[in-house]
Amino acid sequence: MEQIRNFCIIAHIDHGKSTLADRLLQSTGTVNERDMQAQLLDDMDLERERGITIKSHAIQMDYVHEGQTYTLNLIDTPGHVDFSYEVSRSIAACEGALLIVDAAQGIEAQTISNLYLALEHDLEIIPVLNKIDLPSAMPEEVTDEIVSLIGCDPTDVIHASAKEGIGITDILEAIIHRIPAPKGDLQKPLKAMIFDSVFNPFRGIEVYFRVFDGEINKGDKVKFVNTGKTYEADEIGVLKLQQQPKDTIKAGNVGYIISGIKVAKEVKVGDTITHVNKPCEAVKGFENVKPMVFAGIYPVETSEFEELRASMEKLQLNDASLIWEPETSAALGFGFRCGFLGMLHMEIVQERLEREFDMTVITTVPSVQFHAVKSDGTIIKINAPSEMPEPNTISHIEEPFIRAQIITKDEFIGNIISLCMDKRGIIKNQVYLTTERVELTFELPLSEIVFDFFDKLKTLSKGYASLDYELIGFRQSTMVKLDIMLNGDRVDALSAIVHRDKAYEWGKRLCEKLRELIPRQMFEIAIQASIGTKIIARESVKAMRKNVLAKCYGGDISRKRKLLEKQKKGKKRMRQVGNVEIPQEAFMAVLKLD
Amino acid sequence: MTVALCEEIKLRQNYLEREPINTVYFGGGTPSILSKDNLSSILETIHKYFSVNHDAEITLEANPDDLNSEKLRDLYGLGVNRLSIGIQSFKEEVLHFLNRAHNRKQALNSVSEARNIGFNNISIDLIYGIPINSHEDWENDLHEITKIKPEHISSYCLTIEPKTVFGHRAKMGTLSLKGEDFEARQYELLIEKLKSIGYEHYEVSNFCLPGMHSKHNSSYWKQAKYLGIGPGAHSYNGASRQFNVTNNHKYISSLYKDNIPTQQEVLSREDKVNEYLLTGLRTIWGVDLDYLKDNYDYDLKKLKGSYVNNLIDNRFATLDANDLKLTEEGLLLADEISASLFI
């Protein structure tokens, strides 16, 4: 145990986490040049494109220091606010953390919140100033920021450039010297915590864990404490570049277990693995992951419902945080109401359905969960506008609020405060981290930030703002259900729950957006927004006037047939409501208001 | 080129299974640049390898500036009995805008000269939807028709194709069309005017005095077999369509080696049905639902009944003894409608 070091990397997107991880793997000889793929730890295409490690992984390195071989377990952490619970579990599996800060950018909000998490878990922090080679690097300022944040000595901050290979040995030495070896009792009952899982289509779910006490052996009968399920440890091992099966994993170490689990839902991050015969107490901090954003997912082709179900089931095998149940929409037919960790998670699910399963789907207006409180105090949870009860049957509506931390340059404070006020926010605190950088704290309705808040924040601050948030509870709000009608038929998939003060503006803008997105058809289309029976906005799409090619002679017929076949195919991607054909993107129109 | 064309005619003498020929059409560009001898040898070759009906319609497409009286006399003498003249507009500014080589005077003269020489079946082309041409300008253009009374008029909406001068200008942002409403209005003006002076609107872009339909073009819309000779020409034999290589040089060098440089596309049942719909719906003859059902087992009334009824209720179409025909309103949306009725 003395020779084990468990650590994670805390970094903002683009601050160089993945590149640094690659360098560590190279320096320790875990991978050779030939195997080296840029940004090795992010192995899903999507992750690579978005530059975000969505699902955490772990990798074990061997490092020889003064004749002694050390085992270094690097536990990767996701870098997006949608996945903060997973981050907390990865942190709980470590004794130390590398805090990577871009020397040109400074610390961002997400980094700070993860840093706080690490400090809560008593992790030893090794600050690393990355991208030191950039001409725009400001090592003194950023070092000051780090020092004032974690109270370390400026000389503790390692200067590095993962890209250029500068400072890598210093980092490895610091890991050995500064991060404490894990503590654990080999004699106690097995206590291991799950921090991640991965779906393997041939072997079922691979579960990654950290052993705190005792040891796990191949063939042991084990129990997952929170789900209560028992399994046999068919295979256990450590995670090198490839899995390396072992007979035993002892306290302090990190490993994987394969036990024939087929569904990701059975594996909950933060759950405890123990022996069936000699159980331990559960590791503290376990939570069931709660979805924050809800939306309907429908096949574009109604006949593809069963195919979509099969795809969703497969997707859920390796994405336990995705939840769904069947839902019916008058406009869209059969589909699923899904719960996501956040908007990024929603986009990822949609893209994976399209890329990995070749499904074309319509995603409806995303919504948060509202509570309708009846006069006797009972709560009805509302995950979709269609579930909104008639106003006279309830006492009031409550909506989820968050506390948001925004770090920015002081010149953008004004812009950001007016954005947050516009989003019904209340400013709670304002702290200068340095003479230029400010941390603002707001309380905001979650529904106001799920759509485009982050993009707006980035634009207003020219990219110099970062955001982190946590849920702080439900508060009473005057929410109303806004409906959209096309030629008098209500399109349930376009309904939304919005604040009364914003309903008129919302209705007006949504009608305008729909007028742009719905192509002219053979009949004029009336677009109306209403609250209850009251029409609050209207627009119309004029009837199509002309759709006919001029020439159609001998040499034109083939080409023209193909052209019209393509036109027909385009129509198939649209949804028919009454006699109106609605393109897929109209259902997402809400996201593009402005 | 003429040698190659004659060679292709010879090589493909059996394509139409020796059925007699009712129409010959020189088109696709400006065949009027062919010399008298060239034209004569092509026609002779056709007569040598095909049996051409004595009253066959023999059309030649020409630009007004190519049609001087000598040329017209030659053509008439060779047996050309129908002219399709690319007049496009009677307005100087518009002709200039369209990069045409002729002027208003030549446009008018070409028709009167042809009449003098004896041509009694003349078609002219006109273009509408031109950005610099207001509705009033267009009405003036149409008024010229009353003076020259051609037997046939084809009128097309200006479209911008990529890789053309206009395509380039559109890409650079120096040219833009006026859009659907503008074009639709000019199309309506066209129909109103021509109908009021006795023309029959028998296909989306085609009008004629009674009985003067283009026999040649009508056969494309009636699924007749046709043989196309020359680079880029298409042929159809009832089962497949063939299209020749478009490059002149490749065309000639291939025929020099007795090879017809052509590709073939075999038409499936779906292709045939869809082509029947898209061509038929453009004409006053419409599509025969019984024909579709009997020949292709495609029961439009059963499969698209509510759509068809909707068309009829909203006066986009009529159903008359199981012939589905588009109204003038429907013709404006012919592509939209036929695509919706496709298999």
Side-chain angles (χ1 to χ4, degrees), chain B residues 77-341:
Chain B
L78 286 168
V80 173
N81 55 26
R82 187 172 180 272
L83 290 175
S84 171
I85 309 177
I87 285 179
Q88 320 306 357
S89 172
F90 295 104
K91 201 176 160 200
E92 301 289 6
E93 294 96 311
V94 174
L95 290 170
H96 179 72
F97 174 84
L98 295 172
N99 297 321
R100 308 312 295 194
H102 65 273
N103 56 30
R104 172 187 158 80
K105 195 164 167 239
Q106 285 170 310
L108 293 169
N109 281 350
S110 64
V111 178
S112 53
E113 276 295 315
R115 288 242 184 277
N116 290 340
I117 282 158
F119 284 100
N120 57 10
N121 192 353
I122 297 173
S123 177
I124 65 166
D125 284 0
L126 289 177
I127 294 183
Y128 65 91
I130 295 165
I132 61 162
N133 228 9
S134 68
H135 294 333
E136 204 188 330
D137 294 334
W138 176 234
E139 285 184 289
N140 289 339
D141 252 358
L142 291 173
H143 189 66
E144 304 278 352
I145 303 280
T146 51
K147 300 181 194 161
I148 52 172
K149 276 272 180 170
E151 283 68 29
H152 189 277
I153 298 159
S154 299
S155 188
Y156 309 115
C157 184
L158 179 68
T159 52
I160 294 181
E161 301 288 337
K163 293 177 191 165
T164 59
V165 176
F166 277 23
H168 179 71
R169 282 168 58 188
K171 213 171 145 191
M172 304 302 288
T174 54
L175 172 73
S176 65
L177 294 180
K178 288 264 190 144
E180 163 175 7
D181 294 317
F182 179 83
E183 293 165 359
R185 182 65 200 134
Q186 296 206 342
Y187 185 58
E188 283 168 355
L189 289 171
L190 169 77
I191 295 169
E192 281 164 26
K193 179 71 183 180
L194 295 187
K195 279 190 161 178
S196 76
I197 55 173
Y199 284 89
E200 181 182 25
H201 184 199
Y202 74 101
E203 196 260 356
V204 168
S205 307
N206 287 286
F207 301 81
C208 67
L209 293 175
M212 301 308 286
H213 311 98
S214 161
K215 285 190 211 163
H216 185 85
N217 287 339
S218 300
S219 59
Y220 292 132
W221 309 320
K222 292 177 172 173
Q223 281 63 50
K225 297 169 187 174
Y226 51 89
L227 170 61
I229 300 292
H234 286 223
S235 304
Y236 176 64
N237 65 5
S240 68
R241 182 166 290 108
Q242 287 187 298
F243 32 97
N244 289 351
V245 63
T246 50
N247 181 291
N248 287 359
H249 175 73
K250 281 185 192 161
Y251 173 80
I252 294 170
S253 58
S254 171
L255 276 159
Y256 186 70
K257 290 175 256 167
D258 278 353
N259 264 331
I260 305 167
T262 192
Q263 278 181 296
Q264 181 179 286
E265 176 190 36
V266 177
L267 299 181
S268 64
R269 163 182 169 263
E270 286 79 9
D271 295 340
K272 287 183 190 170
V273 168
N274 292 349
E275 288 191 358
Y276 178 64
L277 286 167
L278 84 86
T279 53
L281 287 173
R282 294 172 63 92
T283 68
I284 45 162
W285 306 291
V287 292
D288 178 353
L289 302 190
D290 293 329
Y291 170 83
L292 275 177
K293 200 170 153 189
D294 298 343
N295 287 276
Y296 299 111
D297 192 25
Y298 188 53
D299 191 340
L300 205 62
K301 264 192 188 162
K302 199 168 118 195
L303 294 165
K304 312 265 182 182
S306 66
Y307 185 83
V308 170
N309 286 335
N310 221 336
L311 288 179
I312 296 165
D313 292 347
N314 290 283
R315 300 193 184 161
F316 288 119
T318 59
L319 190 60
D320 170 17
N322 264 351
D323 286 336
L324 183 68
K325 298 173 186 173
L326 298 188
T327 60
E328 298 291 0
E329 291 76 28
L331 281 180
L332 265 165
L333 303 173
D335 286 2
E336 167 78 18
I337 294 169
S338 44
S340 302
L341 295 175

Side-chain angles (χ1 to χ4, degrees), chain B residues 70-81 114 117-120:
Chain B
E70 188 195 341
K71 182 82 178 184
L72 284 163
R73 217 166 284 129
D74 288 346
L75 293 173
Y76 195 70
L78 286 168
V80 173
N81 55 26
I117 282 158
F119 284 100
N120 57 10

Side-chain angles (χ1 to χ4, degrees), chain A residues 1 89 92-95 183-186 189-194 210-214 250-253 283:
Chain A
M1 221 181 301
R89 295 303 84 201
C94 301
E95 279 78 34
K183 293 185 193 70
D185 192 338
L186 274 171
L190 169 65
K191 185 192 216 177
M193 185 193 69
I194 299 171
R210 153 77 195 267
V211 186
F212 288 109
D213 290 319
K250 290 185 174 24
N253 211 347
V283 179

Side-chain angles (χ1 to χ4, degrees), chain A residues 379-398:
Chain A
I379 287 172
I380 308 165
K381 291 180 179 172
I382 305 166
N383 290 336
S386 60
E387 294 166 8
M388 183 95 157
E390 288 299 320
N392 56 4
T393 64
I394 52 167
S395 152
H396 61 272
I397 301 280
E398 290 179 347

